[in-house]
């Protein structure tokens, strides 16, 4: 797929899944915006890698939970590329996937939920709010939100994280219903436990093994797998697909 | 001028100097140029075009917005072909300048309506580049065989019309290439002084000194009508040539190019191979020429296609998609002129043409479209209004 | 390439299958012979076709005119109107059968000739032919004559005396090629007033008129013999002069320039009807923009814009969208843009000429530059080429379009302000497609009618007119006929000479 002339924003793209998605878009010709919160050095590295391959990328710092930050970022994107065609909402509030230290249902505080909802749903909301006017202007666009297969199968009940992602899925489907008329699609990608990433580093070996045993394809999800699904939704092949959620977990969840 | 502008101007002048002797494909493309290989030229052209694009993008907010709407920014434009050509209408609607317009050395305006607000304007903070762009190609295409010549000019010079690029062009031609007997025959009060022109032509005929007639294409129609009505005929001395520019369309009396050249032959005894048409626009800072005279001198075989200097490139685009057409197909012309350093390096015309092996063939200006049936297309309505006003 | 063809020397059978089908695009009375033809090759999705055009001379034209006149005098002039209606209906009924050979030919070849989308042609042609069924024709006649029998005999008048209407002995129709099938409408008019008909087709669509005459021939060969349909290049005065000299009436369709050219040739003594250039527009009231309705409203308007690529004068150049609905005029423009993109995917626009593409580019540039200059205008346009364009204007107004799926969207606070900005187009305005509630329709219609509009219809129906509509605000048949009155005095006088009178 050739994304030449298309500009794509990947939030939380300085590392992990976001960085891989950004690099994949870069490899396929897109003009990439690598959004980061703190890690300027890593974001710069992603940009460098994309440019080294002849692609085009810029890094922009913005806290996606802050509307003012997001607005400023959107302006900078239009200034740099003249358009915003594809948005990948990947950023989330810091989360460590550690089955041992996770909070149980009777320990978890409303503030924990709030933090995750702010990050996952709030972040996506602010980004979409800023992107939609541009997409309407150009009569089309693609929004891809990263959720999780834990929605369907909470192997480990990360209450706050998964609940926030569920909200993001609901948000995405409603958005899809209203934006279709403007030629904008909204879809979700729901990965399984992804390894290696910083967030999943603390997930113990035995949990990983347990998931692998249950997975038809016999391994954990890798960042590149997710990028495949995201690029598909962003591509012309998926121009008539909206409101969908694609599980990328080697068949662990089948719906 | 800002130091940035100074630097840009210096760089363009350097480019022109380096590639002054390149510009058409009459002698073949693989020839080794004194200034470098065609690849060197391509590289230098690309580099300078991109630099100009960045400069315009940064200095001119409306232009930046126009480009952004096309997703063309310094980050996404990597080859000169990616630079979005600006429609010539923009010269009417926008102020295209990187320097304060009230400090411009010259403002060239498109002709047509008297309302200056509705005329296209090309601002020249300095005329250095414009002048430097004019001289070498003129020598190359109009006078490849001689240094100077007696020039009779039918249209106003720069003293009469400081806002006309053509007037400056004609004055420059006389300054740089005219003998001391060269003259302008256009008078501010009375227009083209036919009597004096006829007399002067007679003198040149008698003395056997070849003359270069220069003027707007349509001024020849008037001159020819004048001579025909009075039965005046000349046999201009060998080496004489006729230079015309601009179109023949949209006047009260329309004639075709070949009719014009036939009439020129009939009245002045100057044959087709000594006639050439220059293609220039207010919105550009360089000119293109028929290869007729140059090709005849070089090979004895006339090529009427047009060519320009090394700092001008033309792309033929499909009007529907604005993508380049295949070689040999007609389309709308987009010119990339490095000399247009203050306004826009790439402009989209409404001229239809085709790229040939030797250069460019113009097929006239798009005359607007008609609906196939009873629905009235906007162009028809505009035309109807225009006629009403005339 | 050529060389390859020769060396391959394909078998004769292979050659034959490659032969394009030949379709005559003329219809003349029996007995007319042509000595030579030229063929025009059409290539389309359904294969290759040769359109066969006769080589015409002034002599042949005179002969044809003579035969048309003779046949009319011998036959059509004596037919009762009711019989003519039955015969037309019989031909139309054939066309309403999807399997009918000529309909299939039209559906196969019209897309190749006109480049309009096949599905659109199939649909529009079917809808169009339905408007010529018997009941529609009778309605059409009743609309214009109190009693259609005045076309057959002297009929008593309410005010005393008797009258009879005579159609022209012959009519010269100059067809345009923008909308396939339109010539049929004109021919039907001619038949109903019992005229001999000669039609000049446009090279853009030379087929439908001929196919329709062939259907009539299948129904009644003598009737078909009163019609001649011929293609020639407009402006060939050697052919047009003898025709104009021989007919009583001329009906010209198309762009003003071509209509005007014909008019110049027609002496003042002859009847001349013109259907020249017109513009149409649409109006959307806030009632049609509620959250549950705006989607459908947009869809129907997009249909009006895409049908025959606005080449018919019934198609909108602009739409005025009222404030106060669930979507703003700007959003309406964006939604319309997205809908036109979907239309393009479903039923692509016909190929356009370089001039047409440039005209669209010019308009896009004009408004885009105006927007850069700070005017409240936005241009929405198809990405690849000039397939569709929506130009949004914040201020109310009207502007003509370069057509081929280009439309202006104007915002407004109240549709009732329309007369202020449509006034300059008074002479040109034809149809207004409208979507408003019942309480406003009458009043708005009156405002529009006063401003010169002559047809008000639902949006989504703009390009389809019902039988008996007042084309360009005029009568159709009534404009063609002349009347002969027997006054009461003559009747009374006649009574006096009745030998058996008291």
């Amino acid at each position: 797929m050739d994304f030449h002339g298309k500009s794509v924003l990947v939030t939380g793209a300085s590392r992990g899944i976001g960085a891989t998605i950004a690099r994949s878009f870069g490899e396929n010709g897109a003009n990439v915006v690598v959004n980061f919160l703190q890690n300027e050095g890593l974001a710069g590295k992603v940009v460098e890698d994309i440019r080294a391959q002849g692609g085009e990328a810029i890094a922009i710092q913005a806290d996606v939970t802050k509307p003012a930050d997001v607005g400023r970022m959107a302006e900078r994107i239009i200034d740099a590329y003249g358009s915003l065609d594809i948005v990948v909402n990947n950023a989330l509030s810091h989360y460590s996937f550690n089955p041992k230290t996770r909070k149980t249902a009777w320990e978890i505080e409303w503030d924990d939920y709030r933090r995750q909802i702010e990050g996952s749903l709030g972040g996506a909301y602010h980004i979409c709010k800023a992107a939609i006017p541009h997409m309407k202007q150009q009569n089309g666009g693609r929004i891809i939100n990263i959720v999780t297969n834990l929605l369907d199968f909470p192997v480990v009940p990360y209450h706050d994280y998964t609940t926030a992602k569920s909200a993001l899925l609901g948000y995405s489907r409603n958005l899809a219903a209203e934006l279709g008329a403007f030629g904008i699609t909204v879809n979700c990608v729901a990965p399984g436990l992804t390894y290696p990433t910083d967030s999943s580093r603390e997930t113990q070996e035995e949990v990983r093994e347990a998931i692998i045993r249950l997975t038809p394809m016999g391994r954990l999800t890798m960042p590149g797998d997710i990028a495949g699904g995201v690029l598909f939704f962003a591509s012309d092949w998926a121009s008539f697909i909206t409101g969908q959620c694609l599980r990328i977990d080697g068949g662990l969840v089948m719906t | 001028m800002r130091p940035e502008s100074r630097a840009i101007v210096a760089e363009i002048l350097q480019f022109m100097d380096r590639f002054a002797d390149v510009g058409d494909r009459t002698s073949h493309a693989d020839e080794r140029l004194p200034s470098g290989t065609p690849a060197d030229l391509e590289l230098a052209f690309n580099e300078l075009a991109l630099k100009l694009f960045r400069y315009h993008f940064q200095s001119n907010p409306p232009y930046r917005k126009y480009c952004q709407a096309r997703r063309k920014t310094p980050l996404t434009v990597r080859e000169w072909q990616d630079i979005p050509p600006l429609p010539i209408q923009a010269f009417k609607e926008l102020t295209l300048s990187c320097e304060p317009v009230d400090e411009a050395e010259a403002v060239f305006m498109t002709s047509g309506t008297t309302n200056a607000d509705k005329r296209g304007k090309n601002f020249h903070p300095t005329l250095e580049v414009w002048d430097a762009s004019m001289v070498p190609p003129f020598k190359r295409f109009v006078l490849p065989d001689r240094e100077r010549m007696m020039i009779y000019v039918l249209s106003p010079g720069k003293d009469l019309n400081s806002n006309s690029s053509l007037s400056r062009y004609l004055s420059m031609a006389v300054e740089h290439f005219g003998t001391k007997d060269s003259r302008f025959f256009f008078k501010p009060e009375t227009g083209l002084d036919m009597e004096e022109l006829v007399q002067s032509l007679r003198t040149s005929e008698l003395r056997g000194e070849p003359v270069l007639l220069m003027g707007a294409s349509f001024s020849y129609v008037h001159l020819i009508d004048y001579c025909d009505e009075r039965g005046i005929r000349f046999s201009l001395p060998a080496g004489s040539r006729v230079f015309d520019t601009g179109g023949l369309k949209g006047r009260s009396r329309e004639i075709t190019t070949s009719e014009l050249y036939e009439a020129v032959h009939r009245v002045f005894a100057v044959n087709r191979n000594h006639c050439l048409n220059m293609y220039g626009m207010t919105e550009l800072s360089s000119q293109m020429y028929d290869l007729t005279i140059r090709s005849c001198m070089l090979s004895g075989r006339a090529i009427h296609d047009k060519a320009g200097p090394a700092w001008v490139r033309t792309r033929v685009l499909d009007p529907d998609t604005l993508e380049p057409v295949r070689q040999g197909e007609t389309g709308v012309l987009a010119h990339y002129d490095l000399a247009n350093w203050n306004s826009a390096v790439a402009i989209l015309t409404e001229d239809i043409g085709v790229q040939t092996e030797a250069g460019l063939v113009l097929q006239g200006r798009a005359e607007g479209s008609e609906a196939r049936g009873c629905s009235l297309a906007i162009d028809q309505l505009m035309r109807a209004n225009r006629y009403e006003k005339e | 390439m050529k060389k390859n063809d020769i060396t391959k020397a394909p078998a004769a059978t292979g050659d034959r299958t490659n032969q394009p089908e030949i379709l005559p695009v003329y219809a003349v009375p029996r007995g007319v012979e042509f000595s030579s033809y030229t063929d025009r090759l059409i290539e389309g999705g359904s294969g290759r076709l040769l359109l066969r055009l006769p080589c015409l001379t002034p002599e042949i034209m005179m002969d044809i005119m003579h035969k048309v006149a003779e046949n009319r005098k011998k036959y059509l002039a004596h037919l009762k109107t009711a019989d003519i209606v039955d015969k037309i209906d019989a031909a139309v009924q054939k066309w309403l059968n999807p399997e009918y050979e000529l309909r299939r030919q039209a559906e196969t070849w019209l897309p190749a000739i006109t480049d309009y989308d096949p599905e659109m042609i199939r649909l529009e042609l079917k809808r169009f032919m339905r408007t010529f069924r018997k009941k529609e024709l009778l309605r059409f006649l009743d609309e214009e004559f109190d009693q259609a029998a005045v076309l057959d005999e002297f009929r008593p008048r309410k005010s005393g005396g008797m009258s009879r209407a005579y159609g022209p002995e012959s009519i010269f129709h100059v067809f345009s090629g923008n909308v396939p099938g339109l010539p049929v409408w004109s021919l039907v008019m001619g038949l109903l007033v019992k005229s001999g008909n000669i039609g000049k087709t446009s090279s853009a669509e030379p087929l439908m008129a001929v196919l329709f005459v062939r259907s009539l021939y299948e129904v009644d060969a003598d009737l078909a013999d009163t019609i001649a349909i011929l293609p020639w290049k407009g402006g060939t005065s050697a052919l047009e002069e003898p025709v104009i000299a021989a007919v009583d009436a001329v009906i010209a369709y198309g762009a003003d320039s071509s209509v005007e050219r014909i008019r110049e040739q027609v002496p003042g003594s002859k009847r001349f009807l013109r259907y020249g250039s017109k513009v149409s527009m649409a109006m959307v009231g806030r009632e049609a923009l509620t959250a549950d309705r705006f989607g459908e409203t947009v869809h129907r308007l997009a249909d009006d814009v895409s049908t025959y690529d606005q080449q018919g004068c019934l198609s909108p150049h602009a739409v005025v969208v009222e404030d106060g609905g669930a979507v703003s005029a700007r959003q309406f423009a964006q939604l319309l843009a997205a809908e036109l993109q979907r239309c393009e995917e479903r039923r692509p626009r016909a190929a356009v000429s370089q001039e047409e593409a440039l005209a669209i580019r010019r308009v896009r540039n004009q408004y885009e530059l105006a927007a850069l200059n700070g005017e409240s205008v936005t241009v929405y346009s198809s990405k690849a080429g000039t397939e569709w364009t929506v130009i949004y204007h914040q201020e109310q107004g009207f502007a003509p379009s370069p057509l081929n799926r280009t439309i202006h969207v104007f915002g407004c606070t109240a549709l009732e302000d329309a007369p202020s900005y449509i006034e300059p187009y008074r002479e040109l305005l034809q149809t207004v497609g409208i979507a408003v509630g019942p309480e406003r329709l009458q009043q708005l219609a009156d405002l529009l009618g006063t401003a010169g509009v002559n047809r008000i219809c639902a949006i989504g129906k703009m390009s389809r007119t019902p039988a008996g509509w007042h084309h360009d605000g005029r009568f159709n048949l009534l404009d063609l006929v002349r009347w002969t009155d027997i006054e009461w005095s003559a009747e009374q006088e006649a009574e006096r000479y009745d030998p058996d009178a008291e």
Side-chain angles (χ1 to χ4, degrees):
Chain A
M1 181 64 205
D2 181 13
F3 289 100
H4 244 97
K6 297 258 166 57
S7 65
V8 51
L9 163 65
V10 184
T11 66
S14 61
R15 55 197 177 133
I17 297 170
T20 304
I21 293 171
R23 285 197 178 91
S24 303
F25 273 114
E27 278 165 23
N28 288 282
N31 300 317
V32 184
V33 180
V34 177
N35 158 256
F36 66 97
L37 178 60
Q38 286 161 335
N39 215 326
E40 187 163 7
L42 282 181
K45 179 76 174 68
V46 175
V47 168
E48 240 171 70
D49 290 350
I50 292 173
R51 289 201 169 158
Q53 296 192 8
E56 183 51 58
I58 49 171
I60 303 181
Q61 192 281 333
D63 181 344
V64 296
T65 64
K66 294 189 177 141
D69 272 26
V70 170
R72 199 164 350 110
M73 174 161 70
E75 266 173 43
R76 280 195 55 197
I77 295 170
I78 298 301
D79 215 44
Y81 295 142
S83 70
L84 181 49
D85 303 289
I86 302 158
V87 159
V88 184
N89 283 302
N90 167 70
L92 64 137
S93 295
H94 173 73
Y95 203 81
S96 176
F97 296 92
N98 186 335
K100 275 203 171 44
T101 59
R102 74 174 180 90
K103 288 189 180 169
T104 55
W106 43 90
E107 286 168 345
I108 196 156
E109 298 293 334
W110 178 241
D111 262 352
D112 295 313
Y113 282 104
R114 196 152 60 196
R115 199 172 311 119
Q116 282 304 309
I117 289 172
E118 289 264 313
S120 287
L121 179 62
Y125 168 82
H126 295 309
I127 293 284
C128 290
K129 181 117 174 158
I132 288 167
H134 296 290
M135 292 183 171
K136 277 180 170 173
Q137 188 68 30
Q138 63 211 25
N139 306 112
R142 301 290 167 85
I143 296 172
I144 299 142
N145 296 329
I146 309 295
V147 295
T148 169
N149 75 340
L150 293 171
L151 315 174
D152 307 295
F153 182 19
V155 199
V156 183
Y158 297 113
H159 300 278
D160 43 358
Y161 168 79
T162 305
T163 302
K165 289 295 195 187
S166 303
L168 181 55
L169 177 64
Y171 171 70
S172 304
R173 288 178 173 160
N174 280 282
L175 215 52
E178 194 122 294
L179 295 185
F182 295 92
I184 302 169
T185 70
V186 186
N187 291 290
C188 292
V189 165
L193 178 65
T194 305
Y195 194 84
T197 68
D198 285 356
S199 311
S200 63
R201 195 147 294 147
E202 292 174 44
T203 306
Q204 289 77 6
E205 193 62 29
E206 61 192 49
V207 177
R208 288 186 221 151
E209 283 306 322
I211 292 173
I212 289 172
R213 269 199 307 279
L214 288 170
T215 302
M217 303 290 290
R219 64 167 171 81
L220 294 179
T221 308
M222 295 194 292
D225 301 326
I226 302 167
V230 171
L231 264 67
F232 167 70
F233 278 136
S235 74
D236 286 349
W237 293 310
S239 59
F240 201 58
I241 301 175
T242 194
Q244 302 305 307
C245 181
L246 182 64
R247 277 83 184 168
I248 301 183
D249 59 3
L252 180 62
V253 170
M254 299 185 189
T255 51
Chain B
M1 285 200 309
R2 294 183 293 161
E4 280 165 285
S5 297
R6 281 256 159 260
I8 291 265
V9 166
E11 205 168 329
I12 297 167
L13 291 174
Q14 202 182 359
F15 181 101
M16 289 177 164
D17 194 44
R18 182 175 169 201
F19 296 104
D21 53 355
V22 193
D24 59 87
R25 281 165 266 174
T26 37
S27 33
H28 274 286
D30 54 2
E31 79 179 311
R32 222 183 132 87
L33 312 165
S35 40
T37 62
D40 291 338
L41 170 58
E42 178 63 31
L43 209 65
F45 186 94
N46 195 49
E47 201 182 317
L48 192 47
L50 293 185
K51 187 174 276 189
L52 283 168
F53 170 69
R54 281 195 295 275
Y55 185 56
H56 296 149
F57 189 89
Q58 280 150 13
S59 315
N60 197 328
Y63 180 69
R64 175 175 31 226
K65 274 198 196 157
Y66 181 83
C67 295
Q68 283 171 340
R70 276 153 191 73
R71 303 160 180 236
K72 304 294 186 191
T73 74
L75 283 178
T76 63
V77 169
R78 295 178 163 205
E79 282 164 358
W80 65 269
Q81 292 94 333
D82 296 336
I83 301 172
L86 191 63
I88 49 169
Q89 293 149 294
F91 286 79
K92 285 193 183 87
E93 302 290 338
L94 307 178
T95 303
L96 298 168
S97 182
C98 300
E99 288 285 321
V101 294
D102 42 8
E103 291 169 23
E105 186 181 346
V107 186
F108 292 148
M109 298 192 197
T110 52
S111 55
T113 150
T114 45
N115 181 355
D117 287 347
K118 287 282 165 227
R119 291 166 68 178
K121 295 189 194 71
N122 202 355
F123 298 96
H124 298 275
T126 165
L127 283 165
E128 280 170 90
V129 174
W130 196 94
D131 291 353
S133 174
M134 182 268 169
V135 178
F138 187 93
K139 164 83 184 122
R140 187 178 177 81
F141 296 107
V142 187
L143 296 181
D145 52 333
R146 47 202 308 162
E147 293 307 314
R148 285 186 178 267
M149 194 165 178
M150 185 162 71
I151 303 178
Y152 286 173
V153 184
L154 279 55
S155 300
K158 68 177 179 186
D159 52 323
L160 294 187
N161 191 349
S162 60
N163 292 127
S164 156
S165 55
L166 176 61
S167 293
R168 179 166 191 89
Y169 180 93
L170 295 169
S171 296
M172 290 278 295
V174 171
E175 266 168 48
H176 286 262
F177 301 99
T179 60
K180 63 174 178 10
D181 294 326
S182 299
R183 293 181 57 183
F184 286 82
F185 290 89
F186 193 94
K187 301 284 147 59
E189 320 79 38
T190 49
L192 180 55
D193 190 336
M194 298 282 185
E195 274 174 46
E196 223 176 301
L197 177 59
V198 165
Q199 232 166 40
S200 304
L201 285 172
R202 277 284 174 242
T203 318
S204 134
E205 195 178 22
L206 287 174
R207 283 179 16 202
E209 184 180 355
V211 59
L212 166 61
L213 279 172
M214 290 183 77
S217 308
F218 212 77
S219 59
Y220 287 97
V221 177
H222 294 309
L223 175 58
I224 286 160
D225 285 349
Y226 179 89
C227 294
D228 277 346
E229 277 161 27
R230 290 162 185 75
I232 300 171
R233 289 290 177 271
F234 298 96
S235 178
L236 294 184
S240 292
R241 50 203 79 176
V242 167
F243 168 111
D244 75 292
T245 183
L248 289 162
K249 281 213 162 152
R251 301 302 184 116
S252 42
R253 188 184 144 210
E254 283 202 8
I255 71 166
T256 65
T257 308
S258 52
E259 281 167 351
L260 176 69
Y261 291 140
E262 275 162 31
V264 162
H265 186 243
R266 186 178 72 234
V267 176
F268 303 108
V270 174
N271 71 31
R272 176 71 183 89
N273 290 350
H274 287 86
C275 295
L276 99 168
N277 173 270
M278 182 273 275
Y279 171 69
M281 303 173 79
T282 303
E283 296 87 347
L284 289 177
S285 300
S286 303
Q287 298 81 27
M288 281 176 255
Y289 298 87
D290 288 353
L291 283 163
T292 314
I293 291 177
R294 181 169 173 80
S295 60
C296 280
M297 303 280 166
L298 288 179
S299 66
R301 199 172 59 88
I303 298 171
H304 300 309
D305 305 3
K306 285 187 163 60
W311 48 92
V312 176
R313 302 256 164 119
T314 298
R315 302 183 88 204
V316 183
L317 307 178
D318 178 337
D320 188 42
T321 60
L322 295 188
E323 292 293 322
V325 299
R326 276 175 304 198
Q327 176 82 24
E329 285 179 7
T330 63
V332 61
L333 304 182
H335 303 300
Y336 291 72
D337 179 7
L338 300 182
N340 230 17
W341 68 273
N342 185 48
S343 52
V345 67
I347 69 159
L348 182 64
T349 70
E350 292 184 353
D351 295 329
I352 300 289
V354 59
Q355 199 104 46
T356 60
E357 198 130 317
L360 193 66
V361 175
L362 270 181
Q363 296 175 340
R365 177 161 278 217
E367 272 298 279
S369 71
E370 296 226 340
R372 295 188 277 268
C374 52
S375 193
L376 190 68
I378 182 167
D379 284 345
Q380 290 162 270
L381 197 73
M382 304 297 279
R383 236 172 297 150
N385 283 341
R386 203 161 69 212
Y387 290 138
E388 264 168 37
K389 276 174 202 146
E390 266 177 14
Chain C
M1 288 299 213
K2 266 266 160 65
K3 212 185 278 170
N4 256 345
D5 288 349
I6 296 164
T7 48
K8 259 191 200 160
T13 48
D15 242 12
R16 209 168 293 143
T17 51
N18 273 334
Q19 281 297 320
E21 195 179 323
I22 294 173
L23 206 59
V25 283
Y26 58 90
V28 286
R30 283 168 291 181
V32 175
E33 301 283 340
F34 297 107
S35 50
S36 60
Y37 302 89
T38 56
D39 289 337
R40 187 177 133 206
L41 181 67
I42 299 283
E43 281 177 288
S46 25
R48 284 148 35 102
L49 171 74
L50 279 180
L51 298 182
R52 176 145 292 176
L53 293 74
C55 297
L56 300 173
T57 62
E59 294 72 39
I60 293 179
M61 296 306 283
M62 309 261 248
D63 178 44
I64 292 171
M65 292 310 298
H66 178 72
K67 288 204 165 68
V68 165
E70 279 297 300
N71 295 341
R72 182 252 171 202
K73 201 163 149 192
K74 280 203 312 255
Y75 184 66
L76 176 58
H78 308 292
L79 276 184
K80 295 274 181 240
T81 307
D83 294 334
I84 301 173
V85 167
D86 281 338
K87 288 173 197 293
I88 296 172
D89 182 61
V92 167
Q93 288 302 331
K94 287 172 178 279
W95 279 84
L96 298 183
N97 171 11
E99 304 303 319
Y100 180 46
E101 171 60 20
L102 298 187
R103 171 165 162 182
R104 297 182 76 144
Q105 283 194 9
E107 288 173 357
T108 307
W109 295 116
L110 281 176
I113 295 171
T114 62
D115 201 45
Y116 286 127
D117 178 70
E119 185 57 23
M120 179 166 73
I121 290 207
R122 198 182 64 77
L123 203 65
E124 295 299 324
L125 208 55
K126 183 168 71 176
R127 286 173 173 161
F128 182 67
M129 291 309 276
R130 277 197 208 122
T131 63
F132 297 107
R133 283 183 294 197
K134 181 170 179 173
K135 60 172 183 165
E136 308 291 341
L137 293 175
L138 292 177
R139 191 168 289 145
F140 187 27
L141 284 164
D142 275 5
E143 184 70 29
E144 304 208 3
F145 298 100
D146 274 347
Q147 37 181 340
V150 289
L151 289 163
D152 298 332
E153 58 187 351
F154 282 98
R155 302 290 297 176
R157 297 172 66 172
K158 286 169 200 143
S159 57
M162 302 175 91
S163 289
R164 179 174 174 176
Y166 293 91
E169 286 184 12
S170 51
I171 302 175
F172 175 32
H173 308 253
V174 184
F175 301 129
S176 63
N178 51 330
V179 175
L182 225 49
V184 172
W185 187 80
S186 201
L187 287 176
V188 166
M189 285 207 310
L191 289 172
L192 288 177
V193 297
K194 305 182 189 179
S195 302
N197 293 288
I198 173 157
K200 185 195 96 63
T201 51
S202 151
S203 63
E205 200 283 272
L207 186 59
M208 245 335 268
V210 170
L211 293 182
F212 184 69
V213 175
R214 279 173 56 190
S215 302
L216 283 176
Y217 186 85
E218 292 168 8
V219 172
D220 180 349
D222 290 331
L223 183 63
D225 275 349
T226 67
I227 306 176
I229 305 293
L230 293 162
W232 72 79
K233 192 174 164 11
T236 315
S237 44
L239 301 177
E240 287 169 5
E241 268 168 25
V243 175
I244 291 171
V247 297
D248 303 326
V250 178
I251 309 180
Y253 298 83
D256 273 344
S257 51
S258 39
V259 169
E260 200 50 33
R261 187 183 51 71
I262 298 287
R263 192 194 57 76
E264 282 165 11
Q265 298 179 63
V266 180
S269 56
K270 292 185 196 267
R271 195 150 297 203
F272 180 77
L273 298 188
R274 62 189 297 166
Y275 296 99
S277 306
K278 293 285 170 190
V279 299
S280 296
M281 66 184 289
M283 290 185 153
V284 176
R286 59 180 75 89
E287 308 90 302
L289 296 172
T290 53
D292 58 331
R293 294 222 183 273
F294 71 79
E296 194 201 340
T297 306
V298 168
H299 176 76
R300 285 162 57 183
L301 188 69
D303 198 36
D304 283 333
V305 176
S306 51
T307 302
Y308 291 133
D309 305 341
Q310 293 165 303
Q311 290 299 323
C313 48
L314 310 165
S315 308
H317 284 238
V319 54
V320 186
V321 179
E322 200 173 42
D323 289 347
V327 293
S328 65
R330 177 183 288 281
Q331 279 173 316
F332 188 92
Q334 292 169 339
L335 289 163
L336 183 60
E339 185 70 17
L340 286 174
Q341 175 58 35
R342 289 188 282 272
C343 286
E344 177 61 24
E345 283 153 18
R346 247 175 88 216
R347 289 179 192 161
R349 185 190 62 174
V352 295
S353 69
Q354 290 204 337
E355 286 72 24
E356 287 172 308
L358 274 176
I360 295 171
R361 292 265 167 215
R362 199 175 300 129
V363 169
R364 284 184 181 181
N365 289 340
Q366 178 193 339
Y367 289 104
E368 213 176 323
L369 292 168
L372 292 180
N373 245 345
E375 278 180 43
S376 45
V377 178
T378 309
V379 179
Y380 302 96
S381 52
S382 49
K383 293 283 166 305
T386 59
E387 293 85 357
W388 55 264
T389 310
V390 177
I391 301 161
Y392 164 75
H393 307 251
Q394 193 176 312
E395 305 294 327
Q396 64 180 16
F398 176 82
S401 144
L403 311 180
N404 294 310
R405 301 191 184 177
T406 305
I407 185 156
H408 296 275
V409 175
F410 290 92
C412 81
T413 48
L415 295 179
E416 281 75 9
D417 295 337
S420 64
Y421 49 83
I422 62 177
E423 175 60 29
Y425 300 91
R426 181 176 198 90
E427 303 298 318
L428 293 170
L429 267 176
Q430 193 215 52
T431 295
V432 172
I434 201 164
V436 293
E439 69 285 359
R440 298 170 71 193
L441 179 60
Q442 294 290 331
Q443 194 208 345
L444 260 171
D446 189 31
L447 285 172
L448 295 171
T450 308
V453 172
N454 56 53
R455 174 173 172 251
I456 293 161
C457 68
I459 63 164
K461 303 271 185 220
M462 291 184 68
S463 59
R464 285 162 218 131
T465 52
W469 75 297
H470 291 116
H471 191 167
D472 291 355
R474 313 254 331 153
F475 285 111
N476 301 295
L477 301 173
L478 275 178
D479 277 355
L480 278 174
V481 298
R482 64 182 171 80
W483 293 89
T484 300
D485 297 341
I486 303 175
E487 288 190 1
W488 179 229
S489 62
E491 262 186 82
Q492 273 184 315
E493 186 74 1
E495 293 297 334
R496 282 181 50 208
Y497 306 126
D498 182 347
D500 193 29
E502 298 84 58

